[in-house]
Amino acid sequence: MNNLLQVKNLNIVFRSAHGEHRAVRDVSFHVGREKVAIVGESGSGKSQTCRALLQLTPKIGRVTADQMQFDDIDLLNSSEKQMRQIRGNRISMILQDPRFSLNPLMRIGDQVAEAFRLHRRVSKSEARARASAMLESVHIRDVGKVARLYPHEISGGMGQRVMIAMMLIPEPDLIIADEPTSALDVTVRQQVLSILNEQLERRQTGLLFISHDLNLVSRFCDRVLVMYAGRIVEEIRADRLEQAQHPYTQALLASQPRLHHPLDTLRVPTRDASWLNGPCFRDGVAL
């Protein structure tokens, strides 16, 4: 499999009045035209890792890496002008809640069309036609009516479908999805994931999927990267997640609610200082 993205020894350090904080520590991974999940607790470095790929780290942060390569592009040393050609066009990002991602002052159809015109030299009429086709492809019925609505007039599930349409309309090679279904109920979540998977397979697009939900990623993704305190402590095939070897991954799995094994109190993962510098695991083998 040819890698779309190759990251080696990524580090992100934030400066504050109290000193420096290493948010991401020596992170290395690759992504091809597949679905790769990054899981871990809040603050483990998942979102910061992905934002660094698009040079969206806040100015108080310092990003270093031995390699941060996307296709033939050096993401670490690209200029802002070059990154504007990459963001949205080659790498798109689906955020957590469409209520805060969509422009409340623009109609849905105009927003999707704008996402296309930003990266393609086409007329307004052609962009509107392409936007309508894209909205229809994510299973939105009565596209003409929905295109005229404002974001506050649609449901959360439909809003997330609109976000998927906006991010996919320029036909990027890689999608970064940051908790894209956490604000949705279970039924709508499955519908949205099914639509996203259909679009990824149709376009052969890679996916970097940030999530807290181990049950979800084990069914939806191909590989799983587990982050703890800024490190990737385990990399494993999603269908083998239950066979994880790192004690942190095992603790996360044990803390998941199980329908057929009811508990009065869920387990809280215990932590060990040795995990910060201890071995990580790849497909069950300690490295």
Side-chain angles (χ1 to χ4, degrees):
M1 180 188 298
N2 294 326
N3 292 330
L4 284 170
L5 177 70
Q6 185 78 43
V7 177
K8 292 183 180 179
N9 293 327
L10 171 65
N11 287 272
I12 305 174
V13 177
F14 288 98
R15 301 179 298 276
S16 71
H18 305 287
E20 294 188 339
H21 171 69
R22 293 183 68 190
V24 174
R25 305 161 179 258
D26 300 322
V27 162
S28 299
F29 64 95
H30 66 274
V31 181
R33 296 188 184 276
E34 58 182 330
K35 299 188 290 287
V36 178
I38 302 182
V39 302
E41 295 169 288
S42 296
S44 60
K46 306 184 300 298
S47 295
Q48 290 299 332
T49 295
C50 292
R51 289 175 184 273
L53 301 176
L54 295 173
Q55 291 192 13
L56 295 177
T57 302
K59 291 183 179 180
I60 61 170
R62 184 176 73 252
V63 178
T64 60
D66 291 343
Q67 183 182 28
M68 205 158 71
Q69 190 85 7
F70 172 71
D71 200 3
D72 59 349
I73 301 166
D74 180 358
L75 295 175
L76 190 64
N77 297 305
S78 293
S79 67
E80 178 58 26
K81 181 179 180 180
Q82 291 171 315
M83 291 305 301
R84 285 197 295 269
Q85 298 299 315
I86 296 168
R87 299 188 194 111
N89 187 28
R90 300 290 308 280
I91 305 176
S92 289
M93 194 167 192
I94 302 172
L95 299 176
Q96 184 170 358
D97 194 331
R99 292 175 300 174
F100 305 112
S101 304
L102 295 172
N103 187 333
L105 303 179
M106 288 182 66
R107 298 181 190 274
I108 294 300
D110 292 337
Q111 295 196 52
V112 179
E114 181 184 63
F116 189 61
R117 293 194 74 204
L118 281 173
H119 302 289
R120 301 289 187 275
R121 293 184 177 180
V122 298
S123 65
K124 289 185 178 181
S125 60
E126 185 178 345
R128 281 196 293 267
R130 184 64 181 267
S132 295
M134 192 69 228
L135 288 170
E136 189 173 351
S137 76
V138 294
H139 300 191
I140 290 180
R141 290 177 289 184
D142 199 352
V143 168
K145 177 183 177 181
V146 172
R148 294 190 297 271
L149 298 177
Y150 289 93
H152 72 274
E153 297 178 298
I154 62 177
S155 67
M158 187 175 291
Q160 203 59 285
R161 294 184 195 190
V162 170
M163 285 296 299
I164 292 171
M166 285 179 64
M167 295 303 104
L168 284 173
I169 196 169
E171 299 186 351
D173 297 296
L174 178 66
I175 293 281
I176 298 172
D178 192 348
E179 298 275 2
T181 60
S182 62
L184 307 177
D185 64 52
V186 175
T187 303
V188 176
R189 179 183 305 170
Q190 293 305 316
Q191 294 172 355
V192 169
L193 287 175
S194 177
I195 291 167
L196 178 59
N197 189 55
E198 174 188 315
Q199 296 296 323
L200 293 171
E201 290 186 354
R202 181 182 301 173
R203 292 169 168 76
Q204 290 296 295
T205 304
L207 176 71
L208 198 51
F209 189 90
I210 302 170
S211 181
H212 289 89
D213 193 333
L214 275 71
N215 292 325
L216 185 153
V217 301
S218 67
R219 299 189 304 270
F220 183 67
C221 294
D222 301 309
R223 288 188 293 122
V224 180
L225 309 175
V226 182
M227 289 194 74
Y228 171 75
R231 294 184 68 213
I232 292 178
V233 295
E234 186 147 20
E235 177 182 339
I236 191 168
R237 274 178 41 181
D239 58 1
R240 294 181 178 175
L241 188 56
E242 293 288 341
Q243 303 169 29
Q245 297 298 306
H246 196 281
Y248 177 65
T249 313
Q250 293 173 346
L252 290 179
L253 289 166
S255 69
Q256 298 286 303
R258 305 288 180 180
L259 183 62
H260 301 294
H261 299 282
L263 297 171
D264 293 330
T265 305
L266 289 174
R267 286 181 56 183
V268 177
T270 55
R271 295 160 180 80
D272 192 312
S274 66
W275 295 349
L276 290 175
N277 300 300
C280 59
F281 290 78
R282 181 176 297 154
D283 291 325
V285 178
L287 301 179

